[in-house]
Amino acid sequence: MEEKGVEDDVVKRLDCERDPNQKNRQRFGGVGGVLSIEQFFEDQEVPSWRKQLTFRAFFVSFWLSILFSVIVMKLNLTTGIIPSLNVSAGLLGFFFVKSWTKFLERSGFLRQPFTRQENTVIQTCVVASSGIAFSGGFGSYLFGMSERIAHKSSGSKDFKDPSLGWMIGFLFVVSFLGLFSVVPLRKIMVIDFKLTYPSGTATAHLINSFHTPRGAALAKKQVKMLGRFFSVSFLWGFFQWFFMTADGCGFAHFPTFGLKAYANKFYFDFSTTYIGVGMICPHIINVSVLVGGIISWGIMWPLIEEKKGQWYSEKLSSDDLSGLEGYKVFIAIAIILGDGLYNFFKVLTRTLSGLLHQLRHKRDTEELSSENSSRSELSYDDERRKQLFLKDQIPIWLAIGGYVVIAVVSINTLPHIFTQLKWYYILVIYIFAPVLAFCNAYGCGLTDWSLASTYGKLAIFTIGAWAGPLHGGVVAGLSACGVLMNIVSTASDLMQDFKTGFLTLASPRSMFVSQVVGTTMGCIISPCVFWLFYKAFDDLGLPTGEYTAPNAVLFRNMAVLGVEGVSSLPKNCMTLCYVFFATSILINLIKDLIPKKWARFIPLPMAMAIPFYIGPYFTIDMSLGSLILFVWQKLNKTKADAFGPAVASGLICGDGIWTLPSSILALAGVKAPICMKFLSSSNNAKVDKFLSSSI
């Protein structure tokens, strides 16, 4: 009964922090004699910004960064669907440092207690580091430049193969600009405009709850649950490895729904990673990818395949873009561009209208807020947070000077890494980048949606078309995508961190330093992790391999489309692209116009597009994860909400970490002892005979 009381109390406390209802706050949050969040921590001294940056925080951050970089890299190179791992990072950071300090306390060597500010520093550092695994383009634009991916598209002569040296150098000269571009705007965004930054706010509530006695008790049980499912997932990956001597071996190739369904990639591949992803992602995301898989591989591709010889030549190989592969790639691109364009203008419109409203009514708002603050019973938290947030200023000269210096270094360095990317292309990007970074950071504060990849796609088309086919437009467009995507992505991430720091009383200086340190770690860790994958798996990026890198193919073909046009596409491909582009916009429009109670049942076009190219096999795993969580919530919503993210994180982390030893074994030439094939007469005659007789 006591354990249930702990869970219920923490869940209610977190709910009331997000609840504007005054009555709930009176019971749990700071009026009527009940302590508010900051009153609860009033007796705890807030350490200076230097003391928030501890050796143990960065030591733990380093190892967690490796863990999450491996996980993000694996997700990047398989489907490109990357769920939020903030809960996992915060939970594991709390667990490891809390264990560290408990040991030192018992030994009598503890000099500085573990605070929520230090927890925030760890969270910021880990998320910044692992974020480079995504914004670095290892599963999209960067790998899309390679010869291996180039051979799968028409622009095969314009490529640049990965190399550890230039990848690290590239990331170092482009990943810090976004940090300096929005630093002067932190007060405007967080205090004046009061932007919510939902992910940053949720992370702050999570960290605050960890450092209450009952919250710590729940966190301890969550970590135990995570560790339990981490072990199960890791051991399951190890067990599967024994049966995977060659391609097509193992449980991942079991024809769950029959041979015909397997041929169209409808099967359960026993991936604990994507069961966990399905538990973290909203139900509508899981439904969307499943619907997209059914529409494409269940209906469209079989129908188009029947047109072989009429719409495209029968002699073409299965991966030729002039054949069926062209429909798969470019229809997926059309849906992604339609969805991205709609949401770009939607967020931009909301950003500009919100900004104009804020500026127009700023004086009235300030007067009203000053009156309210004098009368409000809840002003203690806001006043304390505002006071400490404005205490440690980051000089404007440092932000502007840092941006200019890094921009100059970058303009002079990048043309040596990518000869196709001229210095004046980069200059134009850097002139517009601060405005785009602000728009992305502001829009993220309103909607919690970063459009970094959309801005990157705009750079692909504009710079690629500017360079043209004769001057390496494909590589120029992809590298320009990387430059802009890194700037706007790190800008929105930093502003999220400022919001988290504001709500946990972490200094803006410690947040900035932590983001810089995390980005530095990411610029080294992420290329090394990718290099391990690249060297260990010879079929990386190939349709027959475990890591197909679908976004690399899509990004490259976007660049080819922008540079060379659509003349080589198969018959009726562009017509279908126009139809799906318009449909993607129409679905989004309907979703925004109808009431929310109905809109939540409409699938998301961006999610639907993912299985169009890579197949629906992973959607079965995600749907299973979503179903498990749905049933759990129906049976016991309190426990499902408290422990669901921990279970999902354990499944993802365990399978993700198994990738490291499996990669090392592959590099060493160690093969699994058994090949368990379900579709091979030569290796399993009895199974083949049974299957053929049952058809």
Side-chain angles (χ1 to χ4, degrees):
M1 290 297 292
E2 185 181 347
E3 288 186 359
K4 189 177 188 304
V6 169
E7 295 158 12
D8 290 347
D9 184 80
V10 173
V11 170
K12 288 176 183 175
R13 182 173 290 277
L14 292 179
D15 286 342
C16 82
E17 287 172 6
R18 291 186 282 262
D19 191 349
N21 189 307
Q22 186 80 0
K23 291 181 181 178
N24 287 340
R25 286 184 176 274
Q26 286 178 348
R27 292 178 62 201
F28 294 99
V31 295
V34 180
L35 294 180
S36 71
I37 289 296
E38 295 311 326
Q39 286 173 335
F40 187 91
F41 292 105
E42 188 176 17
D43 294 335
Q44 297 181 13
E45 181 186 357
V46 177
S48 66
W49 71 273
R50 287 187 176 87
K51 288 186 177 180
Q52 294 172 23
L53 304 168
T54 62
F55 169 78
R56 68 191 179 202
F58 290 122
F59 181 81
V60 169
S61 297
F62 175 76
W63 292 107
L64 288 179
S65 295
I66 295 175
L67 167 66
F68 286 108
S69 293
V70 172
I71 293 167
V72 172
M73 194 68 68
K74 179 176 180 177
L75 295 171
N76 235 340
L77 295 171
T78 48
T79 64
I81 299 175
I82 303 170
S84 173
L85 298 171
N86 286 7
V87 173
S88 312
L91 193 61
L92 289 173
F94 172 80
F95 169 71
F96 285 124
V97 179
K98 197 70 176 175
S99 302
W100 184 325
T101 54
K102 268 193 174 182
F103 174 76
L104 291 178
E105 189 175 10
R106 288 172 182 172
S107 306
F109 294 109
L110 182 63
R111 295 182 179 179
Q112 183 177 337
F114 181 42
T115 63
R116 54 190 176 132
Q117 290 79 27
E118 189 178 355
N119 204 157
T120 307
V121 165
I122 296 171
Q123 168 83 19
T124 300
C125 189
V126 173
V127 172
S129 179
S130 58
I132 299 294
F134 168 71
S135 62
F138 302 101
S140 55
Y141 65 85
L142 191 143
F143 189 38
M145 300 179 195
S146 67
E147 185 178 12
R148 192 177 298 178
I149 301 298
H151 283 313
K152 298 172 66 177
S153 67
S154 56
S156 58
K157 294 181 180 179
D158 190 11
F159 62 85
K160 184 176 181 65
D161 278 324
S163 171
L164 194 58
W166 74 254
M167 287 191 297
I168 293 175
F170 168 71
L171 290 175
F172 265 108
V173 295
V174 300
S175 296
F176 295 92
L177 277 158
L179 304 181
F180 290 97
S181 64
V182 294
V183 162
L185 304 174
R186 68 195 181 282
K187 178 181 176 293
I188 295 173
M189 299 282 214
V190 175
I191 295 177
D192 295 343
F193 291 171
K194 295 181 174 63
L195 296 177
T196 54
Y197 289 100
S199 290
T201 300
T203 302
H205 288 323
L206 187 75
I207 291 172
N208 283 333
S209 74
F210 285 163
H211 292 266
T212 62
R214 291 195 171 186
L218 178 60
K220 185 178 180 181
K221 289 192 288 183
Q222 287 173 325
V223 168
K224 283 184 179 178
M225 186 72 79
L226 189 151
R228 194 176 302 154
F229 281 88
F230 176 96
S231 302
V232 169
S233 182
F234 183 87
L235 292 173
W236 174 243
F238 178 54
F239 175 74
Q240 285 192 90
W241 175 80
F242 277 95
F243 305 95
M244 299 171 63
T245 301
D247 292 339
C249 300
F251 289 94
H253 299 277
F254 181 71
T256 322
F257 308 113
L259 295 177
K260 189 68 176 176
Y262 180 87
N264 285 294
K265 299 196 176 183
F266 281 98
Y267 57 92
F268 177 55
D269 70 348
F270 296 89
S271 169
T272 53
T273 292
Y274 283 101
I275 293 174
V277 170
M279 293 181 70
I280 289 180
C281 287
H283 295 305
I284 190 60
I285 296 290
N286 300 311
V287 171
S288 298
V289 292
L290 182 61
V291 169
I294 293 170
I295 290 173
S296 55
W297 290 82
I299 301 171
M300 285 189 59
W301 306 156
L303 290 175
I304 292 175
E305 199 167 11
E306 291 179 2
K307 300 291 183 181
K308 186 187 292 186
Q310 301 174 41
W311 286 15
Y312 59 94
S313 173
E314 295 180 343
K315 299 178 181 179
L316 296 174
S317 62
S318 60
D319 61 348
D320 196 309
L321 284 176
S322 297
L324 183 60
E325 189 79 356
Y327 296 98
K328 295 177 184 177
V329 170
F330 287 100
I331 291 176
I333 289 173
I335 298 172
I336 291 169
L337 290 178
D339 185 271
L341 198 63
Y342 177 88
N343 284 292
F344 171 75
F345 283 109
K346 173 185 168 182
V347 173
L348 186 63
T349 302
R350 288 190 62 182
T351 299
L352 294 176
S353 63
L355 186 59
L356 288 172
H357 177 77
Q358 292 279 5
L359 294 174
R360 193 175 296 165
H361 299 283
K362 186 177 180 182
R363 186 173 301 172
D364 296 336
T365 304
E366 287 177 350
E367 292 174 3
L368 186 62
S369 63
S370 64
E371 291 175 10
N372 288 340
S373 64
S374 63
R375 295 181 301 193
S376 174
E377 296 179 74
L378 295 173
S379 61
Y380 179 82
D381 281 9
D382 292 335
E383 285 298 320
R384 184 160 169 76
R385 288 165 177 168
K386 182 178 178 181
Q387 177 189 358
L388 290 170
F389 189 75
L390 298 177
K391 179 184 175 183
D392 295 324
Q393 295 291 322
I394 301 173
I396 294 179
W397 64 264
L398 177 66
I400 297 174
Y403 187 88
V404 171
V405 169
I406 296 174
V408 170
V409 171
S410 183
I411 289 170
N412 285 281
T413 304
L414 286 176
H416 293 286
I417 299 175
F418 307 106
T419 55
Q420 301 92 332
L421 190 65
K422 306 302 180 186
W423 67 268
Y424 42 88
Y425 300 161
I426 309 166
L427 178 62
V428 170
I429 292 172
Y430 287 165
I431 290 172
F432 290 101
V435 177
L436 299 178
F438 166 77
C439 290
N440 194 48
Y442 189 94
C444 192
L446 290 173
T447 64
D448 204 30
W449 199 334
S450 174
L451 296 177
S453 60
T454 303
Y455 287 108
K457 291 174 187 117
L458 292 176
I460 288 177
F461 286 108
T462 53
I463 301 299
W466 187 0
L470 299 178
H471 299 92
V474 173
V475 170
L478 290 170
S479 54
C481 167
V483 173
L484 189 56
M485 191 169 159
N486 273 281
I487 293 173
V488 298
S489 177
T490 52
S492 62
D493 288 348
L494 178 62
M495 207 54 69
Q496 289 269 20
D497 293 334
F498 279 145
K499 182 67 176 185
T500 304
F502 174 76
L503 295 172
T504 58
L505 303 191
S507 168
R509 288 188 183 180
S510 66
M511 291 292 91
F512 182 75
V513 173
S514 180
Q515 185 85 17
V516 169
V517 172
T519 303
T520 304
M521 288 181 184
C523 289
I524 299 171
I525 293 171
S526 291
C528 291
V529 171
F530 173 75
W531 196 245
L532 178 64
F533 276 83
Y534 187 72
K535 289 296 184 182
F537 303 102
D538 294 331
D539 56 359
L540 184 71
L542 300 180
T544 55
E546 182 181 356
Y547 301 101
T548 56
N551 282 333
V553 178
L554 296 177
F555 270 67
R556 173 146 195 123
N557 282 289
M558 284 183 200
V560 172
L561 189 65
V563 174
E564 299 181 2
V566 297
S567 57
S568 62
L569 296 184
K571 187 178 179 181
N572 296 320
C573 184
M574 277 311 298
T575 304
L576 290 170
C577 286
Y578 292 141
V579 170
F580 277 91
F581 179 86
T583 303
S584 178
I585 294 174
L586 183 62
I587 290 173
N588 276 297
L589 189 61
I590 293 172
K591 194 175 179 70
D592 286 337
L593 292 177
I594 66 174
K596 286 187 178 180
K597 66 177 182 178
W598 301 112
R600 61 196 179 98
F601 295 111
I602 297 178
L604 302 171
M606 183 72 78
M608 291 172 65
I610 296 169
F612 266 65
Y613 173 65
I614 61 177
Y617 62 92
F618 71 94
T619 68
I620 310 299
D621 306 329
M622 290 180 64
S623 298
L624 178 60
S626 187
L627 180 63
I628 290 170
L629 184 64
F630 179 79
V631 173
W632 194 1
Q633 287 173 333
K634 290 296 180 183
L635 295 174
N636 191 328
K637 191 174 190 307
T638 301
K639 278 200 170 184
D641 291 344
F643 295 103
V647 171
S649 300
L651 292 173
I652 294 170
C653 294
D655 195 36
I657 283 299
W658 167 247
T659 306
L660 274 177
S662 67
S663 301
I664 294 169
L665 289 170
L667 276 174
V670 179
K671 290 188 176 182
I674 304 169
C675 178
M676 183 171 65
K677 280 200 173 185
F678 298 98
L679 303 174
S680 170
S681 57
S682 59
N683 288 291
N684 199 334
K686 291 182 180 179
V687 172
D688 187 72
K689 184 178 179 181
F690 171 76
L691 290 172
S692 60
S693 63
S694 63
I695 293 176

